[in-house]
Amino acid sequence: MSNVTVIGAGYVGLTTAACLAHLGHKVVCCDIDPNRISMLEQGKIPIVEDGLEELVLSGIGSGQLSFVLGARHAASGSEVVFLCVPTPQRQDGSADMSYIVEAVNEIAENLDPGTVVVNKSTVPVGSTTVVESTLNRPDVLVVSNPEFLREGSAVHDFLHPERIVIGSDDQGAAIRVATLYSKINAPLVTTDPSSAETIKYASNAFLATKISFINAVANLCEAVGADVRDVILGMGYDSRIGFEFLKPGPGWGGSCFPKDTRALINIAEDGGYDFKLLKGVLSANDEQKEIVTSKIIELFSSDESASGHVAVLGLTFKANTDDLRESPAVGIVTKLLEAQIRVIAYDPTVLPTSIDRFDGKSDLAYDKSASSNANDMSSAFRLEQSRTEKIQELIDKGLEIASDPYAACDGSRVLAILTEWDQFKWLDYGKIADSMTKRAIFDGRNLLEPSQLRRLGFTYRGIGR
Ligand code: UDX
Ligand code: UDX
């Protein structure tokens, strides 16, 4: 069992730390955010992630997992150090490495000879070399070991991965990282660092492409009178295609797909390759959000004499997470508000008390305008409270937040489902119908059975059906 340090206690770092402790390693997890660290020390989890709280509590209880403010001292005595700090998008779409560089500068002097530093953050191809040169420690080895964790099922994905990718030019270092995962049964792909980094970007960009493809097919289905659900069934049985990531919706979002797709286009451009296919995928995704917004506005405008607002169910970028980063739902709600439409939303993780709650949580994100210039590093570390600010921004634009789904729907003229929270399937749509001024539903995740809703008198619009 190894002594491990994890730098960054976000979705990726905290999951990595808790799971490695669960696998028997002695893990110190550090972060620059004092609120986050003090919460974690008390066993409180700053993010919504299935199964994480249990692992953190048992790690703290067994003494395998501890939390420390700042990375400087946390890394000494460690055999392996994981970098799990953000690589946000710069204005031009490229990845901002400043947090990685800062974290590396902080630990460089305190690493024991022979330590392996692992890049888990999604970083541009060639970043292993950047970390090596920033460290300036020939006695320390740098390895790429990208994460493939989906928010909401990150613990499961960590403990039951479909593959583990390790990129290193040093076989010994690769073996030491692989050994950390020895209790996990998964194929191991060992390669050079650049290939490992490319695997991460190419995987995310491919999955984004797959979703955009099915969104386009859904739009086609509507044009030709086909049902996309049956089309998916008929396609998915072909094992070359498969069923995964073929659910049409309002477009893909989150902290990875948009950022990584744009970054890969940039990386390709830097290498002299114009990745036109991915550019098309990105614009198809933007178009999907426009199409969805238009459908809602069309339903809303179909009877100008009716009173009422648009009720939105779901604000997060997908279900089972509290993450609003690049959420299609947030983009669509913003467009509705800009069109002067009154919107009342319900999301299980964004309650009317959210602002207070999330102030307490100090949920941080990063100033996109922050410079990656090493001389300007302190200003690059101006952190903003993104989740709180995002909710506040929507409220400032006029969004009203309801404390339950029925309250959001009460008096509405259109109901729009934008995130696939399971609980939305089981609502009493008869009760909702009675409380609306007009029975119109836009099911942006194809969650509901159209025939049942039509029996209740709803005008039903889904995606591709
Ligand atoms: C991030 C990136 O988005 C992803 O591309 C990468 O693969 C891993 O890091 P995530 O874990 O979702 O993923 O980020 P986030 O939830 O924002 O957490 C990052 C944590 O790092 C925060 O708690 C932040 O306070 C901390 N941090 C940031 C540091 O400890 N040191 C820093 O220098 C910067
Ligand atoms: C993704 C990758 O899946 C993970 O491997 C990576 O390392 C981090 O980025 P995540 O961002 O948590 O994970 O979410 P994911 O489940 O992949 O969904 C991304 C977006 O695609 C969401 O907006 C989701 O709603 C959308 N999506 C996903 C669809 O619209 N249809 C689908 O069939 C699947």
Side-chain angles (χ1 to χ4, degrees):
M1 292 300 111
S2 306
N3 288 324
V4 176
T5 297
V6 175
I7 303 180
Y11 290 90
V12 173
L14 188 56
T15 305
T16 301
C19 289
L20 287 173
H22 175 73
L23 294 174
H25 303 292
K26 187 106 181 152
V27 183
V28 177
C29 180
C30 53
D31 201 286
I32 49 168
D33 175 6
N35 290 336
R36 189 163 277 233
I37 289 298
S38 89
M39 280 183 73
L40 286 166
E41 281 172 336
Q42 298 163 48
K44 292 186 194 149
I45 309 298
I47 50 174
V48 171
E49 197 55 69
D50 194 31
L52 190 57
E53 185 170 17
E54 290 88 323
L55 288 193
V56 168
L57 288 174
S58 83
I60 294 172
S62 64
Q64 293 297 108
L65 178 63
S66 57
F67 296 97
V68 169
L69 182 62
R72 192 171 298 280
H73 303 294
S76 68
S78 201
E79 293 152 78
V80 183
V81 176
F82 281 88
L83 299 173
C84 301
V85 295
T87 47
Q89 193 174 297
R90 286 209 212 96
Q91 223 106 58
D92 66 358
S94 65
D96 179 351
M97 288 282 289
S98 59
Y99 300 110
I100 297 263
V101 170
E102 176 69 11
V104 168
N105 275 327
E106 228 189 308
I107 59 171
E109 279 179 12
N110 291 320
L111 295 173
D112 294 352
T115 305
V116 177
V117 173
V118 181
N119 240 338
K120 212 169 222 340
S121 299
T122 306
V123 286
V125 180
S127 296
T128 304
T129 324
V130 174
V131 173
E132 273 165 359
S133 59
T134 309
L135 271 174
N136 196 18
R137 286 280 306 262
D139 57 340
V140 168
L141 296 153
V142 183
V143 169
S144 163
N145 170 220
E147 49 86 14
F148 302 99
L149 309 174
R150 286 164 301 176
E151 286 179 26
S153 56
V155 170
H156 175 273
D157 291 349
F158 191 99
L159 297 174
H160 308 278
E162 295 193 342
R163 81 297 208 186
I164 293 168
V165 174
I166 297 177
S168 175
D169 292 325
D170 184 292
Q171 212 183 359
I175 290 170
R176 282 175 59 197
V177 176
T179 309
L180 295 176
Y181 300 106
S182 58
K183 287 190 183 163
I184 291 177
N185 185 15
L188 183 66
V189 179
T190 50
T191 180
D192 62 275
S194 294
S195 301
E197 289 156 355
T198 306
I199 287 169
K200 174 62 198 272
Y201 279 114
S203 299
N204 274 354
F206 179 78
L207 292 170
T209 304
K210 202 173 172 192
I211 302 166
S212 279
F213 183 84
I214 205 64
N215 283 339
V217 170
N219 297 333
L220 169 82
C221 284
E222 285 180 28
V224 300
D227 186 332
V228 75
R229 288 169 313 160
D230 293 342
V231 173
I232 292 167
L233 199 64
M235 288 169 68
Y237 277 119
D238 185 331
S239 62
R240 293 171 302 175
I241 298 172
F243 289 104
E244 297 286 324
F245 280 67
L246 275 191
K247 286 198 200 82
W252 38 265
S255 69
C256 287
F257 283 4
K259 154 174 94 63
D260 294 352
T261 308
R262 289 182 199 121
L264 191 53
I265 292 170
N266 264 284
I267 291 166
E269 228 149 56
D270 290 348
Y273 176 62
D274 184 5
F275 209 147
K276 288 197 187 101
L277 174 69
L278 265 194
K279 288 181 179 168
V281 168
L282 258 186
S283 58
N285 197 45
D286 290 338
E287 190 187 57
Q288 188 67 9
K289 289 178 249 179
E290 299 290 348
I291 290 172
V292 163
T293 310
S294 307
K295 282 183 173 179
I296 298 170
I297 293 180
E298 204 181 296
L299 273 177
F300 185 78
S301 315
S302 63
D303 179 2
E304 295 289 355
S305 65
S307 61
H309 57 276
V310 171
V312 164
L313 296 185
L315 288 171
T316 52
F317 82 98
K318 64 172 185 178
N320 306 319
T321 177
D322 58 348
D323 202 340
L324 296 170
R325 286 179 283 183
E326 301 242 16
S327 169
V330 168
I332 291 160
V333 164
T334 305
K335 287 194 175 95
L336 294 174
L337 293 168
E338 282 165 3
Q340 309 297 321
I341 295 173
R342 184 179 175 206
V343 182
I344 304 183
Y346 168 76
D347 185 284
T349 70
V350 186
L351 298 173
T353 50
S354 284
I355 300 300
D356 292 346
R357 187 173 147 228
F358 291 107
D359 267 346
K361 279 182 162 189
S362 182
D363 206 359
L364 296 171
Y366 311 92
D367 184 2
K368 284 209 178 94
S369 64
S371 161
S372 64
N373 179 334
N375 298 326
D376 199 13
M377 203 55 76
S378 55
S379 64
F381 275 76
R382 202 170 64 73
L383 302 178
E384 60 179 284
Q385 290 194 292
S386 90
R387 194 175 194 281
T388 309
E389 284 190 356
K390 206 160 273 163
I391 298 168
Q392 191 56 56
E393 203 179 296
L394 287 169
I395 290 171
D396 290 346
K397 286 192 173 133
L399 178 68
E400 293 159 67
I401 309 260
S403 54
D404 74 73
Y406 298 104
C409 296
D410 191 17
S412 67
R413 130 151 83 136
V414 175
L415 163 56
I417 298 177
L418 297 181
T419 307
E420 74 285 19
W421 288 97
D422 199 50
Q423 55 172 276
F424 299 158
K425 274 192 213 160
W426 315 113
L427 297 174
D428 181 345
Y429 283 95
K431 179 175 158 184
I432 288 177
D434 289 342
S435 75
M436 292 175 72
T437 60
K438 211 185 131 221
R439 298 177 181 192
I441 193 157
F442 172 71
D443 180 3
R445 298 281 185 166
N446 287 350
L447 267 194
L448 308 175
E449 195 40 64
S451 57
Q452 281 174 10
L453 290 153
R454 288 191 180 119
R455 267 201 298 279
L456 291 169
F458 276 101
T459 302
Y460 175 93
R461 297 268 182 283
I463 303 251
R465 62 203 290 210

